[in-house]
Every structure is written in structure tokens, then in C-alpha cells.
Amino acid sequence: MSSGSSQNGVSLDISGVAGFFGGDVSVSAMATVHIYEGRKWLGWYNQPGSYEIAKRYGQLSTSRFWDALYPGVNVDPATLFEFDGTQGPKYTAVQSGTVIARTGHVARLFMEECKEEGNRVLANPTPEQRTTSPGLVTVVDLSHVPHEIETPHQQRDVGSVLACVPIFVSLSACVVCAVFGDWFCFSMILLGIVASGFSCYTVGMGTLTFKHPMPAQEAPPGDGLLEGENELVILKGPEGAVNSITRGRFYLEYASKPRYNNIGWCSILLTFQFLAQLLIVPQGTLRGQIAFLVSLAASWAYNSYLSSLDKERIQRSILVEQVLKLDRSHHIKKYELGTRTSMVVFSLLLLAPANTRGLRRVLNDLLPNDTDVWNRWKDEVLVCIERDLHADTREFAFRFKPLAPADRTGPCVSLLETLRSDAAAAAEMYTRYHGNAYTQSSTMESRPSMAYNHYGSLSYGSYAPLGADMGAGSSESLMTA
């Protein structure tokens, strides 16, 4: 077959590229139809990457027919559009004893949201306290229990208005082709508009929902912690509120579930578009091919804008504001402690009162040191918490027993003193957490802080530089503290 462009000696071989170029960007942009209001009605433009989009959509359909046409692993719609599919941090509950080694996508989103709160640290270590590897503890008060199924409302964004640009360019390209009598490129641009618009509407028919299991009525509180690399997130609240983070998931609900036949037919249409453009666009004139290329460029630019939006941040906003109904300034509080030991003890104080076995599990998981000194210190901490910390405790201090005369010598004394001082720093932060802290001004001068002398008995005043005479056998253990 001959074409007008080939008769003039010039031809743009763009039909093959149009089916592959920009496919990933188009799929990523399509995820916004479930977030922004009205976006599913605004896909009527000739976008590139039709073949790549068809392959990705075809893997959603689960019948043998669709698997034969689009082989590969079938994926869940929420996973395809990045609403699910990632792993989260470890979660340990101190009341129920539940341990989830790997939580899901929602817990990872919430952990990232807590990290974003780093510019609102409410309290830092005092200059007198030991600082080696500072760690952050974020305390989250969960009071609202989401329904078993939540349907977040869609948001409004300027991106929906900008969709008028590629729509206008694609329609204008059709008009240009009609004016110059290039019905080949006219029909292919129009086919691209119809295929893209129909696919966008069909995919947009899915409803973004949030689901989590409802606990039994007699279930204990869900207090526990998420373990990050240098940050711990303490979750305090009823089991129904906590498991919405640890067990909750985002879903995309379609009426065609579980076969998703309507999405499969969209893949057929997009595949037909790719094959038709591959054969027919080269038959058009040079002007028609340029108009076809301009429509693809405008659509690619708009899809690139949509894919550049931080969809994960939008998901976090939906989770925190609409599902959990948290006020960031009141329900999420962050504290910095000077050592990992202090960070862990502070976490135990926040989770107490609780079953000692659960607290010990947390303590051993976060501080796995298994020497005699460390085990003795762990026992002391747990005994003090069980004995002195109650639900209405607002001011707390560790009352460790003085060392026996036989234990006052040896290289491990300095290590034990240092660990005790770290625990005292955590107790002070616990008091500050409850709003009874003294500041570093005149209040701090009038109220002495707690420390331990060389023999392990209680003393008051500023923290002394403990561990100055530490033996060689204790230095390695201190590095992990």
C-alpha cells in the first residue's frame, strides 16, 4: 500500500513506538482515577503505550480466556495501582501477646507518616544525659475505631482541570487531520480517544475501600509497638483501632469481581488500537502523522504530571485523616532519647502497666544482649515497672536496690551504672511525656534529677559522668546500648 507521505518521500515511522512508549507512565497515572473526584470522566485523549497498558490490565482478569491472551501472574487491582502489596515493620502487642513479624502496606504507610513528624519533636535529651546513638519514639493515641469497611471520599485537585489540555489537543489534532483530508490519522486519533476514555471510565468504576477485622468484644487493649530502624512507634488504644493499622488493607472493589471481564475487554480494545495504529498511521500524510505525534506528546506530558504526584503521601493522608481520624498535633507525639537503651525503656514505660511476659519479650527483642550484667539490669527494670508503675502514674523514678559489697568491684560495675542511668533518663522522659516535666530553666535548678552513685544507691543532682573507670570487658556492650 502507498501513502500520501511516502509519495512525498517523507514518512514518520511512529506507529510502533506509540504502542510501547509511555506505558508505565500511563498505568501510574491511571491510579489517580480512584483518588481524585471526577477523574474517571477525563480520560478522553489519545495517549501512548496502549500495548503496555493492555498487558497490565489483562493480568487483572482471571479466566482461562484472558490468561491465554495476556499470560502472566494475575494481580490484584489494589496491587497493580500501588494501593497494596508492600511489607511493613514488625509489630508486637504487650497485652495480647500478638507478634506480627511482617505487617502490611498500611502499617508501612503509617510508619512513614510517623517519620514525617520528625520536625515536631516535643522533647530531647538534656545535656547531662548520655548520648550515643539517639533514637526516636513516636506515641500515637488511637481513640477512633474505624468501621469494618470504610469508603474514603475522593479528593479534588487542579490535575482534573489540566485534563482539558490533552483532550483539547487530541480533538484539535482530529480537526487538523479532517481539514487536510487525512482520514487515516483522523480515525486513529479518534480510536485512541475512544479507547483511552472507555478504559479510564471502566477502571475508574472501582471503589477504593479500607477493610480491617473487627476484634472480639472482650479483646484486651491493642497497645503495642512498630519497630523501625532508628524509631519505635507506640500504638495505644483499643484493639479495633490498632489492628486497623496492623491488619488493615486497601481494596479496589469492582462489580465484575472476581473475573474482571470488563477490564479484560478494555485490554482487547487497547490491543486493537495498537495493531490498528501500527498498520494505518503509516498510510497517513506527513501533516496527519505530525498531528498524531503532537496528540501523543500532550497526553504523555499530562500522564507524566499525574504519575509524578506523591500518591503514597495521598494514601497516608487518607489513612490518617479519613480512616483513623487522627489530629496530628494532638494524637501523634514524638520524643528523642540519647541512647537506644533509654529509647527501649521509655517504650516499656509507655506500654506499662502490662503483662511482664509481654514487656520482657519487647525488651529482649529490642536489646538482645544476653550477658549476666544485661540480664540483671533487665530484671531490675521489669521489677521496678511491675512494682511502681500503675495506670494513674504520672511521675516515675526507678528505685534500684544498692549493690552488695561483693558487687561493687569489677569491670561490670560501670556498665551496670551506665545502664541504670539510661533507665533514669527514660523515667525522666516519661514524666515529661505526662506534662509534669521540669524545664531546663529555674524549675530544673529547684528540682534535682535522679542519678546513681558509684555503688548503685540512689542519689540526687546532675547526672555524673558514669563509666569513667569502665573495664575493657564492658566497652563492647556499651556500644550496643
Side-chain angles (χ1 to χ4, degrees), residues 358-424:
L359 295 178
R360 184 179 293 276
R361 182 189 302 113
V362 172
L363 186 57
N364 289 331
D365 285 346
L366 298 178
L367 296 175
N369 308 66
D370 194 22
T371 63
D372 292 339
V373 178
W374 278 90
N375 288 330
R376 172 176 176 170
W377 172 79
K378 291 177 182 179
D379 291 338
E380 291 179 341
V381 168
L382 293 174
V383 167
C384 290
I385 292 177
E386 184 179 11
R387 180 189 62 205
D388 299 330
L389 187 60
H390 308 287
D392 57 347
T393 301
R394 294 296 178 265
E395 296 187 26
F396 181 79
F398 283 100
R399 295 184 296 165
F400 296 121
K401 293 182 178 180
L403 294 177
D407 297 332
R408 295 176 183 176
T409 58
C412 296
V413 176
S414 297
L415 173 60
L416 183 59
E417 288 177 344
T418 304
L419 295 176
R420 285 181 167 186
S421 69
D422 286 346

Side-chain angles (χ1 to χ4, degrees), residues 419-451:
L419 295 176
R420 285 181 167 186
S421 69
D422 286 346
E428 180 182 330
M429 186 66 75
Y430 177 81
T431 302
R432 297 168 68 182
Y433 163 74
H434 282 288
N436 297 323
Y438 41 85
T439 63
Q440 299 181 24
S441 58
S442 58
T443 308
M444 191 168 185
E445 296 176 0
S446 62
R447 180 176 180 178
S449 59
M450 180 177 294

